Amino acid sequence: MTPGRARLVLLLFGVLACAAYTAAELRALGEGPGFPLDDGWIHLQFARNLAAGRGLAYTPGGEPVAGSTAPLWSALLALAFLLPGNPVGWVKVLGAVAYLGGGLAASALAAELGAGRGLARLAGWLTLATGWLVWGALSGLEIPLFVLLTLVGMRLHARERRRPGRAPLALPVLALATLARPEGALLLALAVADRVLRFERHPAGGLALRLRADRALAAGLLGAAVVLLPVALFHLAVSGSVLPTTFAAKASGVHRWLPEGRYLYAVLGILFRPQPVALLLAGAGALTLVERLGGRRDAGLLPALWLAALPLAYGLINPPGGALLAGNFGRYFFPLLPVVAVLGVLGTGRAVESVGPWLRLGRRRLAWRPAAAVLVQLPTIVHLAQGSGRYVQNVANVRDSDVAMARWLAPRLAPEAVLAVNDIGALQYLLPNRLLDLAGIVDPQVPRYIRAARAAGAPWQDGVRRFLEERRPDYLVIFPEWFPELTGPGTGFRPIYGLRIPRNVTMGADELVLFATPWTRHPLARVEAEAGPGAGPAADPEAGMGAGPEADPEAAPGSDGGSTAGAGGPGGEVPRPPLPR
């Protein structure tokens, strides 16, 4: 098969994978496309304000905030509002295009590192067959863009390291990756170190370490600074820190000097389940890069450094207690999966060359490589097939909670009413009201109140209560399980409407509740039931707590279980349910 046809077949496979997940969603849920996490709606809200000329703002009022961890992704998504049709559909198209580019980039990186043509193709296949990356392509999140930019940046780095005379593009591309995910700053630093610390073969044997800086490196650093400086200055002006406010909400600093073993074990599980064979071989790929140091095929160590350093870095800031700072379902580590694929195929290179293309059985010759490639990919393909059910269940959980609450509130809630909420995504995108962010994602105030309460020896919920008393919202939309001391009897918060989330594996708790506050200024309007077959009685917002409609639990195929993982509660202070099995 020619290289062009091989790439075409690879892309067709990726398109079919995205189409299969989308078809499963539309068939099971019977409505327009949605997102498997509320975070997708957050990015869409930032993009809508950008498209409207309000800059990096989140609220309808257009106040600038430093809450976007992916300003480059938000800027790309703004294009969706300039195109006809539903922006959600265009967001999924943009994600799918970046995902397909990531598959090609993984193949190109493997080839640049010295993998043969067949093994390089296998790296691309493993990348596009990874179910979590298909999930990411359709999630509205920045995952596919970050994957694409990191892979392209690592390929350029390997090429420039071998041939220093080339245009210094690697560091600016990795700076762009930092604008897609802040973890890109770590990869950028590793690339600089891998460029400066060079190994040479010593005449007496062994390797000699040399420090080497040249004009190309200086030009690359200048290009990276040009990319990063405007956003860093914006964050500094808005929040007083060059980091997005999300960092303070999800990580409260370095907690230890060495990561906990159970944390690293959990990260290994995140990487092993979709790519078990490649992960087992990735160590051999890293050793292959070490073996080539100082020689003609020296391509540096950047992919191996990235694979090792990201879990270690997150392990240092992982909060104590039961929380697991890995993102929902481990999504902070999904960008490492293509690197696992690349290093995995690279680790088999010497064995493949040694055995050759044929195995002899008596007088017969057997072409063993296609069968071996199938065996390597088989667990990943199985995980991909199972992933469509997980994806559909995630979309259903978001639809049955945040989206359903926003739709229920839309005809009842006065536009002037202020909501304090756990999840700011769908509620802000679908409602015109001003929101108070209790998770501290776009507003750093709540984590500060929580830290002040804990410093005074008080429960962290006292900090939230003080914040609410000062801001005086009309209503709360929260998971009561997160705030038992805040929403119990005698607190002044009265439950009005609740939504049970069937078969919840996505949201922070199984029930989302609307509470009236002691400061409610805008009562909910009464909405008469729509006429027509099956119309039930109108909901009376003053009648007290009522259970919201439950979705048919059979409408969404099964999941592999578990709940939201990541920073616990507001400010990462409260343990959250563990990562799903």
Side-chain angles (χ1 to χ4, degrees):
M1 186 181 295
T2 64
R5 182 171 295 182
R7 283 192 292 270
L8 182 61
V9 173
L10 180 65
L11 292 176
L12 179 61
F13 172 82
V15 169
L16 291 175
C18 290
Y21 273 47
T22 302
E25 173 192 354
L26 299 178
R27 182 176 63 252
L29 304 184
E31 57 182 62
F35 294 128
L37 288 180
D38 186 64
D39 303 63
W41 296 103
I42 296 177
H43 288 296
L44 205 57
Q45 175 65 11
F46 273 115
R48 180 164 63 182
N49 278 333
L50 276 172
R54 302 188 188 103
L56 274 175
Y58 193 76
T59 63
E63 300 88 357
V65 296
S68 176
T69 55
L72 180 60
W73 181 239
S74 299
L76 287 177
L77 294 191
L79 299 174
F81 293 91
L82 306 178
L83 299 171
N86 186 351
V88 175
W90 286 114
V91 167
K92 290 177 179 287
V93 170
L94 288 171
V97 170
Y99 151 79
L100 295 173
L104 295 179
S107 181
L109 174 60
E112 189 67 40
L113 295 178
R117 181 182 298 177
L119 290 176
R121 290 176 186 170
L122 180 58
W125 278 99
L126 283 169
T127 297
L128 293 187
T130 299
W132 283 126
L133 296 183
V134 181
W135 183 97
L138 303 173
S139 68
L141 302 179
E142 71 287 348
I143 294 169
L145 177 64
F146 186 59
V147 166
L148 175 61
L149 291 173
T150 55
L151 293 174
V152 171
M154 284 187 282
R155 184 195 180 197
L156 291 171
H157 171 83
R159 181 175 294 184
E160 293 168 16
R161 196 177 185 280
R162 280 203 305 268
R163 299 187 284 274
R166 299 184 66 88
L169 299 177
L171 297 185
V173 169
L174 294 177
L176 286 173
T178 304
L179 298 185
R181 280 294 305 174
E183 297 94 325
L186 174 61
L187 181 58
L188 179 63
L190 293 173
V192 173
D194 194 48
R195 185 73 179 267
V196 171
L197 302 175
R198 304 294 293 271
F199 292 89
E200 297 177 359
R201 294 289 174 180
H202 195 275
L207 294 175
L209 179 62
R210 300 282 188 267
L211 299 180
R212 181 181 298 177
D214 50 30
R215 292 181 179 177
L217 176 62
L221 287 171
L222 179 61
V226 169
V227 171
L228 293 175
L229 194 58
V231 175
L233 291 177
F234 171 82
H235 286 168
L236 187 64
V238 172
S239 67
S241 171
V242 296
L243 297 173
T245 54
T246 314
F247 181 82
K250 295 193 174 184
S252 53
V254 176
H255 295 285
R256 57 186 63 83
W257 294 109
L258 289 174
E260 294 180 339
R262 62 173 182 167
Y263 183 83
L264 296 180
Y265 180 78
V267 174
L268 284 175
I270 293 168
L271 302 178
F272 180 82
R273 282 184 287 273
Q275 291 190 4
V277 180
L279 183 63
L280 293 174
L281 296 171
L287 292 176
T288 299
L289 296 178
V290 172
E291 180 187 27
R292 294 174 180 174
L293 289 174
R296 180 178 55 85
R297 304 177 70 185
D298 183 351
L301 299 173
L302 187 56
L305 293 174
W306 176 229
L307 181 60
L310 185 61
L312 292 176
Y314 263 121
L316 300 183
I317 62 177
N318 186 58
L324 181 66
L325 186 57
N328 310 74
F329 313 111
R331 65 184 176 94
Y332 295 166
F333 296 103
F334 292 174
L336 294 181
L337 290 167
V339 181
V340 170
V342 169
L343 291 177
V345 301
L346 191 65
T348 67
R350 178 173 291 186
V352 169
E353 293 174 2
S354 176
V355 175
W358 305 100
L359 280 177
R360 292 190 176 275
L361 185 60
R363 296 183 179 181
R364 301 182 62 182
R365 294 193 307 174
L366 301 177
W368 66 276
R369 290 179 179 177
V374 169
L375 290 176
V376 169
Q377 295 179 79
L378 184 59
T380 302
I381 295 292
V382 171
H383 192 270
L384 171 68
Q386 295 171 341
S388 65
R390 289 189 295 266
Y391 170 76
V392 170
Q393 187 63 38
N394 297 150
V395 176
N397 290 157
V398 176
R399 179 202 64 176
D400 295 338
S401 54
D402 293 329
V403 173
M405 182 65 77
R407 290 173 176 171
W408 189 87
L409 283 170
R412 297 173 170 85
L413 188 64
E416 301 80 16
V418 178
L419 297 174
V421 303
N422 272 137
D423 292 336
I424 60 172
L427 287 163
Q428 185 65 90
Y429 185 79
L430 298 172
L431 294 174
N433 303 78
R434 186 164 67 91
L435 302 189
L436 301 180
D437 175 19
L438 297 182
I441 293 176
V442 297
D443 187 345
Q445 295 302 317
V446 171
R448 293 172 186 169
Y449 279 83
I450 291 174
R451 286 193 289 270
R454 294 177 71 90
W460 68 269
Q461 293 189 52
D462 286 2
V464 179
R465 176 81 190 205
R466 183 183 172 194
F467 171 81
L468 293 174
E469 288 173 346
E470 292 187 6
R471 299 297 183 92
R472 302 169 71 89
D474 294 275
Y475 298 96
L476 305 183
V477 180
I478 60 175
F479 301 113
E481 183 179 315
W482 285 24
F483 304 97
E485 298 177 11
L486 186 66
T487 58
T491 60
F493 296 100
R494 178 171 59 90
I496 295 178
Y497 180 74
L499 287 168
R500 291 187 294 273
I501 309 169
R503 300 174 61 196
N504 177 42
V505 296
T506 310
M507 311 307 292
D510 295 339
E511 187 178 32
L512 183 68
V513 177
L514 171 71
F515 289 87
T517 72
W519 319 286
T520 299
R521 297 169 293 273
H522 303 280
L524 297 176
R526 181 180 175 86
V527 176
E528 297 299 328
E530 296 181 2
D540 184 356
E542 299 303 323
M545 177 73 171
E550 288 195 11
D552 179 5
E554 297 300 321
S559 166
D560 58 357
S563 298
T564 302
E573 302 286 344
V574 185
R576 292 275 297 277
L579 195 71
R581 294 191 302 273

